Amino acid sequence: MGLQSAQDKAQELGFYTLTSHDALGRGRNQIADRNWKVCSQTPAPGMHSTDTKIDFGTVKLEESCPATDTSDNTPAAGDKMPNFAGKSVKVARQALDSATSLTVEDALPDGRMVLVESNWKVCTQTPAPGTALNGQPIALTAVKFEETCP
């Protein structure tokens, strides 16, 4: 079902605490709800109190739903560097402390600027996953999601 239709239906049934997220784990915002479709919902359909919060896992209309919702599989960095390989640059930035110095460069020799971070996936990272984080700068290289890391 389209996201807007799912939200409308939930509201018809008395549910008003609604949220949605990018089921592909790219951290994209669902701004134009009509451009997204629902792949999953939490809690699953069934008998629930109308004050229950419903979270829709979504993808853009032209995308396929993932076998598993990957939105929550990147933990906050804490004191160790997570493995960001294949994750969106946006998700990596969100996982790091807001005071962290972060540079992101095109992994291809094109030297493109990484502007919409949710459209770029991490190829390499410094420091390596598992390294203790103590305020050091973080460096990532990335390519667009449809590209292959070198």
Short mmCIF file of all heavy atoms in Angstrom, two decimals, residues 70-134:
data_model
loop_
_atom_site.label_atom_id
_atom_site.label_comp_id
_atom_site.label_asym_id
_atom_site.label_seq_id
_atom_site.Cartn_x
_atom_site.Cartn_y
_atom_site.Cartn_z
N THR A 70 16.24 -2.83 7.28
CA THR A 70 17.61 -2.58 7.76
C THR A 70 17.77 -1.22 8.40
O THR A 70 18.88 -0.73 8.55
CB THR A 70 18.61 -2.73 6.60
OG1 THR A 70 18.25 -1.79 5.57
CG2 THR A 70 18.62 -4.12 6.04
N SER A 71 16.68 -0.59 8.80
CA SER A 71 16.77 0.77 9.32
C SER A 71 17.47 0.86 10.67
O SER A 71 18.07 1.88 10.98
CB SER A 71 15.38 1.38 9.44
OG SER A 71 14.64 0.71 10.44
N ASP A 72 17.41 -0.17 11.48
CA ASP A 72 17.93 -0.07 12.84
C ASP A 72 19.17 -0.91 13.09
O ASP A 72 19.47 -1.23 14.22
CB ASP A 72 16.85 -0.49 13.84
CG ASP A 72 15.67 0.46 13.85
OD1 ASP A 72 15.87 1.65 13.59
OD2 ASP A 72 14.56 -0.02 14.10
N ASN A 73 19.92 -1.24 12.05
CA ASN A 73 21.06 -2.12 12.29
C ASN A 73 22.40 -1.39 12.35
O ASN A 73 23.44 -2.01 12.25
CB ASN A 73 21.10 -3.27 11.27
CG ASN A 73 21.30 -2.79 9.85
OD1 ASN A 73 21.44 -1.59 9.60
ND2 ASN A 73 21.32 -3.71 8.91
N THR A 74 22.40 -0.07 12.55
CA THR A 74 23.64 0.66 12.77
C THR A 74 23.56 1.29 14.16
O THR A 74 22.82 2.24 14.37
CB THR A 74 23.85 1.77 11.72
OG1 THR A 74 23.85 1.18 10.43
CG2 THR A 74 25.17 2.48 11.94
N PRO A 75 24.31 0.73 15.10
CA PRO A 75 24.25 1.27 16.45
C PRO A 75 24.95 2.62 16.55
O PRO A 75 25.79 2.96 15.71
CB PRO A 75 25.00 0.22 17.28
CG PRO A 75 25.94 -0.42 16.31
CD PRO A 75 25.23 -0.39 14.98
N ALA A 76 24.61 3.38 17.58
CA ALA A 76 25.35 4.63 17.84
C ALA A 76 26.79 4.26 18.10
O ALA A 76 27.11 3.18 18.63
CB ALA A 76 24.74 5.33 19.04
N ALA A 77 27.70 5.13 17.72
CA ALA A 77 29.13 4.83 17.79
C ALA A 77 29.60 4.52 19.20
O ALA A 77 30.37 3.59 19.40
CB ALA A 77 29.93 5.98 17.20
N GLY A 78 29.16 5.25 20.19
CA GLY A 78 29.64 5.00 21.54
C GLY A 78 31.14 5.18 21.61
O GLY A 78 31.69 6.15 21.09
N ASP A 79 31.84 4.22 22.23
CA ASP A 79 33.29 4.35 22.39
C ASP A 79 34.08 3.55 21.36
O ASP A 79 35.30 3.56 21.36
CB ASP A 79 33.70 3.96 23.80
CG ASP A 79 33.35 2.52 24.15
OD1 ASP A 79 32.60 1.87 23.38
OD2 ASP A 79 33.82 2.03 25.20
N LYS A 80 33.39 2.85 20.45
CA LYS A 80 34.06 2.07 19.40
C LYS A 80 33.50 2.47 18.03
O LYS A 80 32.31 2.73 17.88
CB LYS A 80 33.82 0.58 19.60
CG LYS A 80 34.36 0.05 20.91
CD LYS A 80 35.59 -0.74 20.68
CE LYS A 80 36.00 -1.38 21.99
NZ LYS A 80 37.40 -1.43 22.14
N MET A 81 34.36 2.47 17.03
CA MET A 81 33.97 2.81 15.67
C MET A 81 33.14 1.68 15.07
O MET A 81 33.58 0.54 14.99
CB MET A 81 35.23 3.04 14.83
CG MET A 81 34.96 3.42 13.40
SD MET A 81 34.27 5.07 13.29
CE MET A 81 34.63 5.44 11.59
N PRO A 82 31.87 1.98 14.67
CA PRO A 82 31.05 0.95 14.00
C PRO A 82 31.59 0.66 12.60
O PRO A 82 32.38 1.43 12.05
CB PRO A 82 29.67 1.59 13.91
CG PRO A 82 29.69 2.74 14.85
CD PRO A 82 31.11 3.19 14.91
N ASN A 83 31.12 -0.41 12.01
CA ASN A 83 31.44 -0.72 10.61
C ASN A 83 30.38 -0.04 9.74
O ASN A 83 29.22 -0.45 9.73
CB ASN A 83 31.45 -2.22 10.38
CG ASN A 83 31.87 -2.58 8.98
OD1 ASN A 83 32.08 -1.71 8.13
ND2 ASN A 83 31.99 -3.87 8.72
N PHE A 84 30.77 0.98 9.00
CA PHE A 84 29.84 1.73 8.17
C PHE A 84 29.83 1.26 6.71
O PHE A 84 29.08 1.80 5.91
CB PHE A 84 30.17 3.22 8.21
CG PHE A 84 29.93 3.87 9.54
CD1 PHE A 84 30.91 4.63 10.14
CD2 PHE A 84 28.72 3.73 10.19
CE1 PHE A 84 30.68 5.25 11.35
CE2 PHE A 84 28.48 4.33 11.42
CZ PHE A 84 29.47 5.10 12.00
N ALA A 85 30.63 0.28 6.35
CA ALA A 85 30.71 -0.16 4.95
C ALA A 85 29.32 -0.52 4.42
O ALA A 85 28.58 -1.29 5.04
CB ALA A 85 31.64 -1.36 4.83
N GLY A 86 28.94 0.08 3.29
CA GLY A 86 27.67 -0.18 2.66
C GLY A 86 26.50 0.63 3.22
O GLY A 86 25.42 0.62 2.66
N LYS A 87 26.71 1.31 4.33
CA LYS A 87 25.67 2.15 4.93
C LYS A 87 25.70 3.52 4.25
O LYS A 87 26.69 3.93 3.67
CB LYS A 87 25.93 2.35 6.42
CG LYS A 87 26.12 1.09 7.19
CD LYS A 87 24.82 0.51 7.60
CE LYS A 87 25.08 -0.63 8.56
NZ LYS A 87 24.17 -1.69 8.40
N SER A 88 24.60 4.25 4.37
CA SER A 88 24.59 5.59 3.80
C SER A 88 25.47 6.52 4.65
O SER A 88 25.62 6.31 5.86
CB SER A 88 23.18 6.16 3.69
OG SER A 88 22.71 6.62 4.92
N VAL A 89 26.03 7.52 3.99
CA VAL A 89 26.83 8.50 4.71
C VAL A 89 25.96 9.19 5.76
O VAL A 89 26.42 9.48 6.86
CB VAL A 89 27.45 9.51 3.72
CG1 VAL A 89 28.12 10.66 4.45
CG2 VAL A 89 28.44 8.80 2.78
N LYS A 90 24.69 9.41 5.45
CA LYS A 90 23.79 10.05 6.41
C LYS A 90 23.66 9.21 7.67
O LYS A 90 23.71 9.73 8.79
CB LYS A 90 22.41 10.28 5.78
CG LYS A 90 21.43 10.95 6.73
CD LYS A 90 20.10 11.23 6.07
CE LYS A 90 19.15 11.92 7.05
NZ LYS A 90 17.85 12.19 6.44
N VAL A 91 23.49 7.91 7.51
CA VAL A 91 23.37 7.01 8.66
C VAL A 91 24.66 7.01 9.47
O VAL A 91 24.63 7.03 10.70
CB VAL A 91 22.99 5.58 8.20
CG1 VAL A 91 23.17 4.56 9.31
CG2 VAL A 91 21.55 5.57 7.69
N ALA A 92 25.80 7.03 8.79
CA ALA A 92 27.09 7.09 9.49
C ALA A 92 27.19 8.38 10.31
O ALA A 92 27.57 8.35 11.48
CB ALA A 92 28.24 6.99 8.49
N ARG A 93 26.86 9.49 9.69
CA ARG A 93 26.92 10.78 10.41
C ARG A 93 26.01 10.76 11.63
O ARG A 93 26.37 11.22 12.70
CB ARG A 93 26.56 11.93 9.48
CG ARG A 93 26.70 13.30 10.15
CD ARG A 93 26.36 14.44 9.24
NE ARG A 93 27.17 14.54 8.05
CZ ARG A 93 28.39 15.08 7.98
NH1 ARG A 93 28.96 15.55 9.08
NH2 ARG A 93 29.03 15.14 6.84
N GLN A 94 24.81 10.21 11.48
CA GLN A 94 23.85 10.17 12.59
C GLN A 94 24.33 9.27 13.73
O GLN A 94 23.99 9.49 14.88
CB GLN A 94 22.48 9.71 12.10
CG GLN A 94 21.80 10.73 11.23
CD GLN A 94 20.51 10.21 10.61
OE1 GLN A 94 20.34 9.01 10.39
NE2 GLN A 94 19.59 11.11 10.31
N ALA A 95 25.12 8.24 13.41
CA ALA A 95 25.61 7.31 14.43
C ALA A 95 26.75 7.90 15.25
O ALA A 95 26.98 7.48 16.38
CB ALA A 95 26.06 6.01 13.77
N LEU A 96 27.45 8.88 14.67
CA LEU A 96 28.59 9.48 15.36
C LEU A 96 28.14 10.62 16.27
O LEU A 96 27.12 11.26 16.02
CB LEU A 96 29.60 10.01 14.33
CG LEU A 96 30.26 8.94 13.46
CD1 LEU A 96 30.96 9.57 12.27
CD2 LEU A 96 31.23 8.10 14.29
N ASP A 97 28.92 10.88 17.28
CA ASP A 97 28.65 12.02 18.16
C ASP A 97 28.66 13.30 17.32
O ASP A 97 29.45 13.44 16.39
CB ASP A 97 29.75 12.08 19.23
CG ASP A 97 29.51 13.19 20.22
OD1 ASP A 97 29.95 14.33 19.93
OD2 ASP A 97 28.89 12.93 21.26
N SER A 98 27.77 14.22 17.63
CA SER A 98 27.63 15.44 16.83
C SER A 98 28.89 16.31 16.85
O SER A 98 29.08 17.15 15.98
CB SER A 98 26.43 16.26 17.29
OG SER A 98 26.60 16.67 18.63
N ALA A 99 29.79 16.10 17.81
CA ALA A 99 31.03 16.87 17.88
C ALA A 99 32.15 16.26 17.03
O ALA A 99 33.22 16.85 16.90
CB ALA A 99 31.49 16.97 19.33
N THR A 100 31.90 15.11 16.43
CA THR A 100 32.93 14.42 15.64
C THR A 100 33.25 15.17 14.36
O THR A 100 32.36 15.58 13.63
CB THR A 100 32.45 12.99 15.28
OG1 THR A 100 32.16 12.29 16.48
CG2 THR A 100 33.50 12.24 14.49
N SER A 101 34.54 15.34 14.09
CA SER A 101 34.99 15.91 12.81
C SER A 101 34.92 14.80 11.77
O SER A 101 35.50 13.74 11.95
CB SER A 101 36.42 16.42 12.93
OG SER A 101 36.49 17.47 13.85
N LEU A 102 34.19 15.05 10.68
CA LEU A 102 33.96 14.02 9.66
C LEU A 102 34.22 14.60 8.28
O LEU A 102 33.68 15.65 7.93
CB LEU A 102 32.52 13.52 9.75
CG LEU A 102 32.06 12.49 8.72
CD1 LEU A 102 32.83 11.19 8.88
CD2 LEU A 102 30.57 12.26 8.83
N THR A 103 35.05 13.91 7.51
CA THR A 103 35.25 14.27 6.11
C THR A 103 34.77 13.11 5.25
O THR A 103 34.94 11.95 5.61
CB THR A 103 36.71 14.58 5.77
OG1 THR A 103 37.52 13.44 6.09
CG2 THR A 103 37.22 15.79 6.54
N VAL A 104 34.16 13.45 4.12
CA VAL A 104 33.66 12.44 3.19
C VAL A 104 34.15 12.82 1.80
O VAL A 104 33.95 13.94 1.36
CB VAL A 104 32.12 12.37 3.20
CG1 VAL A 104 31.63 11.26 2.29
CG2 VAL A 104 31.58 12.18 4.62
N GLU A 105 34.78 11.86 1.13
CA GLU A 105 35.28 12.09 -0.23
C GLU A 105 34.75 11.03 -1.17
O GLU A 105 34.47 9.89 -0.76
CB GLU A 105 36.81 12.08 -0.25
CG GLU A 105 37.43 13.23 0.51
CD GLU A 105 38.94 13.27 0.37
OE1 GLU A 105 39.52 12.39 -0.31
OE2 GLU A 105 39.54 14.18 0.97
N ASP A 106 34.63 11.39 -2.42
CA ASP A 106 34.24 10.47 -3.49
C ASP A 106 35.30 9.37 -3.58
O ASP A 106 36.50 9.66 -3.70
CB ASP A 106 34.16 11.26 -4.81
CG ASP A 106 33.60 10.46 -5.97
OD1 ASP A 106 33.38 9.23 -5.82
OD2 ASP A 106 33.38 11.07 -7.03
N ALA A 107 34.89 8.11 -3.52
CA ALA A 107 35.83 6.99 -3.62
C ALA A 107 36.32 6.80 -5.05
O ALA A 107 37.35 6.15 -5.27
CB ALA A 107 35.19 5.71 -3.10
N LEU A 108 35.59 7.33 -6.01
CA LEU A 108 36.01 7.28 -7.41
C LEU A 108 36.88 8.49 -7.72
O LEU A 108 36.81 9.50 -7.01
CB LEU A 108 34.78 7.23 -8.33
CG LEU A 108 33.87 6.01 -8.14
CD1 LEU A 108 32.65 6.11 -9.06
CD2 LEU A 108 34.63 4.72 -8.38
N PRO A 109 37.68 8.42 -8.75
CA PRO A 109 38.60 9.53 -9.04
C PRO A 109 37.91 10.79 -9.58
O PRO A 109 38.56 11.77 -9.89
CB PRO A 109 39.54 8.94 -10.08
CG PRO A 109 38.80 7.83 -10.70
CD PRO A 109 37.88 7.30 -9.65
N ASP A 110 36.58 10.78 -9.63
CA ASP A 110 35.84 11.91 -10.20
C ASP A 110 35.86 13.15 -9.32
O ASP A 110 35.64 14.26 -9.81
CB ASP A 110 34.38 11.50 -10.45
CG ASP A 110 34.27 10.29 -11.35
OD1 ASP A 110 35.21 10.02 -12.12
OD2 ASP A 110 33.25 9.58 -11.26
N GLY A 111 36.10 13.00 -8.03
CA GLY A 111 36.15 14.14 -7.14
C GLY A 111 34.81 14.83 -6.93
O GLY A 111 34.75 16.02 -6.64
N ARG A 112 33.71 14.08 -7.07
CA ARG A 112 32.38 14.67 -6.89
C ARG A 112 32.15 15.05 -5.43
O ARG A 112 32.72 14.46 -4.53
CB ARG A 112 31.30 13.67 -7.32
CG ARG A 112 31.41 13.25 -8.78
CD ARG A 112 30.54 12.06 -9.08
NE ARG A 112 31.02 10.89 -8.32
CZ ARG A 112 30.49 9.68 -8.40
NH1 ARG A 112 29.43 9.48 -9.17
NH2 ARG A 112 30.97 8.68 -7.70
N MET A 113 31.30 16.04 -5.24
CA MET A 113 30.93 16.45 -3.88
C MET A 113 29.78 15.58 -3.39
O MET A 113 28.85 15.30 -4.14
CB MET A 113 30.54 17.92 -3.86
CG MET A 113 31.68 18.85 -4.17
SD MET A 113 31.20 20.58 -4.11
CE MET A 113 30.77 20.74 -2.40
N VAL A 114 29.85 15.17 -2.15
CA VAL A 114 28.80 14.37 -1.53
C VAL A 114 27.81 15.35 -0.91
O VAL A 114 28.03 15.87 0.17
CB VAL A 114 29.39 13.42 -0.47
CG1 VAL A 114 28.28 12.63 0.21
CG2 VAL A 114 30.41 12.49 -1.10
N LEU A 115 26.72 15.60 -1.64
CA LEU A 115 25.75 16.60 -1.18
C LEU A 115 24.55 15.98 -0.48
O LEU A 115 24.20 16.38 0.63
CB LEU A 115 25.29 17.46 -2.36
CG LEU A 115 26.39 18.28 -3.04
CD1 LEU A 115 25.84 19.02 -4.24
CD2 LEU A 115 27.02 19.25 -2.05
N VAL A 116 23.91 15.01 -1.10
CA VAL A 116 22.76 14.34 -0.48
C VAL A 116 23.29 13.03 0.11
O VAL A 116 23.41 12.02 -0.57
CB VAL A 116 21.63 14.09 -1.51
CG1 VAL A 116 20.44 13.41 -0.84
CG2 VAL A 116 21.21 15.40 -2.16
N GLU A 117 23.63 13.08 1.38
CA GLU A 117 24.35 11.98 2.02
C GLU A 117 23.59 10.66 2.02
O GLU A 117 24.19 9.59 2.05
CB GLU A 117 24.74 12.37 3.45
CG GLU A 117 25.78 13.47 3.48
CD GLU A 117 26.23 13.83 4.88
OE1 GLU A 117 25.49 13.57 5.86
OE2 GLU A 117 27.33 14.39 4.99
N SER A 118 22.26 10.69 1.95
CA SER A 118 21.49 9.44 1.93
C SER A 118 21.59 8.74 0.58
O SER A 118 21.19 7.58 0.46
CB SER A 118 20.03 9.71 2.28
OG SER A 118 19.44 10.58 1.35
N ASN A 119 22.14 9.40 -0.44
CA ASN A 119 22.31 8.79 -1.76
C ASN A 119 23.71 8.18 -1.95
O ASN A 119 24.00 7.65 -3.02
CB ASN A 119 22.07 9.83 -2.86
CG ASN A 119 20.62 10.23 -2.96
OD1 ASN A 119 19.73 9.51 -2.51
ND2 ASN A 119 20.37 11.38 -3.55
N TRP A 120 24.55 8.26 -0.94
CA TRP A 120 25.93 7.77 -1.02
C TRP A 120 26.16 6.68 0.02
O TRP A 120 25.72 6.81 1.17
CB TRP A 120 26.90 8.91 -0.77
CG TRP A 120 26.92 9.94 -1.85
CD1 TRP A 120 25.96 10.88 -2.11
CD2 TRP A 120 27.93 10.13 -2.82
NE1 TRP A 120 26.33 11.63 -3.19
CE2 TRP A 120 27.53 11.21 -3.64
CE3 TRP A 120 29.15 9.50 -3.08
CZ2 TRP A 120 28.32 11.67 -4.71
CZ3 TRP A 120 29.92 9.96 -4.13
CH2 TRP A 120 29.51 11.03 -4.93
N LYS A 121 26.86 5.60 -0.38
CA LYS A 121 27.19 4.52 0.55
C LYS A 121 28.68 4.56 0.86
O LYS A 121 29.52 4.87 0.01
CB LYS A 121 26.78 3.16 0.01
CG LYS A 121 27.55 2.71 -1.23
CD LYS A 121 27.06 1.36 -1.71
CE LYS A 121 27.72 1.02 -3.04
NZ LYS A 121 27.18 -0.20 -3.61
N VAL A 122 29.00 4.20 2.08
CA VAL A 122 30.38 4.22 2.56
C VAL A 122 31.16 3.05 1.96
O VAL A 122 30.69 1.91 1.97
CB VAL A 122 30.42 4.16 4.10
CG1 VAL A 122 31.85 4.04 4.61
CG2 VAL A 122 29.71 5.37 4.70
N CYS A 123 32.35 3.36 1.44
CA CYS A 123 33.26 2.32 0.92
C CYS A 123 34.36 2.02 1.93
O CYS A 123 34.61 0.86 2.25
CB CYS A 123 33.89 2.78 -0.39
SG CYS A 123 32.71 2.94 -1.75
N THR A 124 35.05 3.06 2.38
CA THR A 124 36.14 2.88 3.35
C THR A 124 35.97 3.87 4.49
O THR A 124 35.28 4.89 4.36
CB THR A 124 37.53 3.10 2.71
OG1 THR A 124 37.63 4.47 2.27
CG2 THR A 124 37.76 2.16 1.53
N GLN A 125 36.61 3.54 5.59
CA GLN A 125 36.55 4.42 6.75
C GLN A 125 37.85 4.37 7.51
O GLN A 125 38.54 3.35 7.55
CB GLN A 125 35.39 4.01 7.65
CG GLN A 125 35.55 2.61 8.24
CD GLN A 125 34.34 2.18 9.01
OE1 GLN A 125 33.30 1.92 8.43
NE2 GLN A 125 34.47 2.10 10.33
N THR A 126 38.19 5.50 8.10
CA THR A 126 39.35 5.61 8.98
C THR A 126 38.89 6.42 10.18
O THR A 126 38.34 7.50 10.00
CB THR A 126 40.52 6.34 8.28
OG1 THR A 126 40.83 5.65 7.08
CG2 THR A 126 41.74 6.40 9.18
N PRO A 127 39.03 5.86 11.37
CA PRO A 127 39.68 4.61 11.74
C PRO A 127 38.83 3.39 11.39
O PRO A 127 37.66 3.51 11.05
CB PRO A 127 39.85 4.74 13.26
CG PRO A 127 38.78 5.66 13.69
CD PRO A 127 38.55 6.60 12.55
N ALA A 128 39.46 2.23 11.50
CA ALA A 128 38.82 0.96 11.17
C ALA A 128 37.73 0.61 12.18
O ALA A 128 37.76 1.09 13.32
CB ALA A 128 39.87 -0.15 11.14
N PRO A 129 36.77 -0.22 11.77
CA PRO A 129 35.73 -0.67 12.70
C PRO A 129 36.35 -1.29 13.96
O PRO A 129 37.35 -1.99 13.88
CB PRO A 129 34.95 -1.72 11.92
CG PRO A 129 35.19 -1.37 10.49
CD PRO A 129 36.59 -0.81 10.44
N GLY A 130 35.76 -0.99 15.10
CA GLY A 130 36.23 -1.54 16.37
C GLY A 130 37.28 -0.69 17.06
O GLY A 130 37.60 -0.92 18.22
N THR A 131 37.84 0.30 16.36
CA THR A 131 38.85 1.18 16.95
C THR A 131 38.20 2.05 18.03
O THR A 131 37.07 2.52 17.86
CB THR A 131 39.46 2.10 15.86
OG1 THR A 131 40.04 1.30 14.85
CG2 THR A 131 40.50 3.04 16.44
N ALA A 132 38.92 2.26 19.11
CA ALA A 132 38.42 3.13 20.18
C ALA A 132 38.26 4.55 19.64
O ALA A 132 39.14 5.06 18.94
CB ALA A 132 39.37 3.12 21.37
N LEU A 133 37.14 5.16 19.94
CA LEU A 133 36.90 6.55 19.54
C LEU A 133 37.21 7.46 20.72
O LEU A 133 36.66 7.28 21.81
CB LEU A 133 35.44 6.74 19.09
CG LEU A 133 35.05 6.04 17.80
CD1 LEU A 133 33.56 6.23 17.53
CD2 LEU A 133 35.88 6.55 16.63
N ASN A 134 38.09 8.41 20.48
CA ASN A 134 38.46 9.34 21.55
C ASN A 134 38.53 10.78 21.02
O ASN A 134 39.38 11.55 21.43
CB ASN A 134 39.78 8.93 22.20
CG ASN A 134 40.89 8.75 21.17
OD1 ASN A 134 40.78 9.22 20.05
ND2 ASN A 134 41.96 8.09 21.56
#
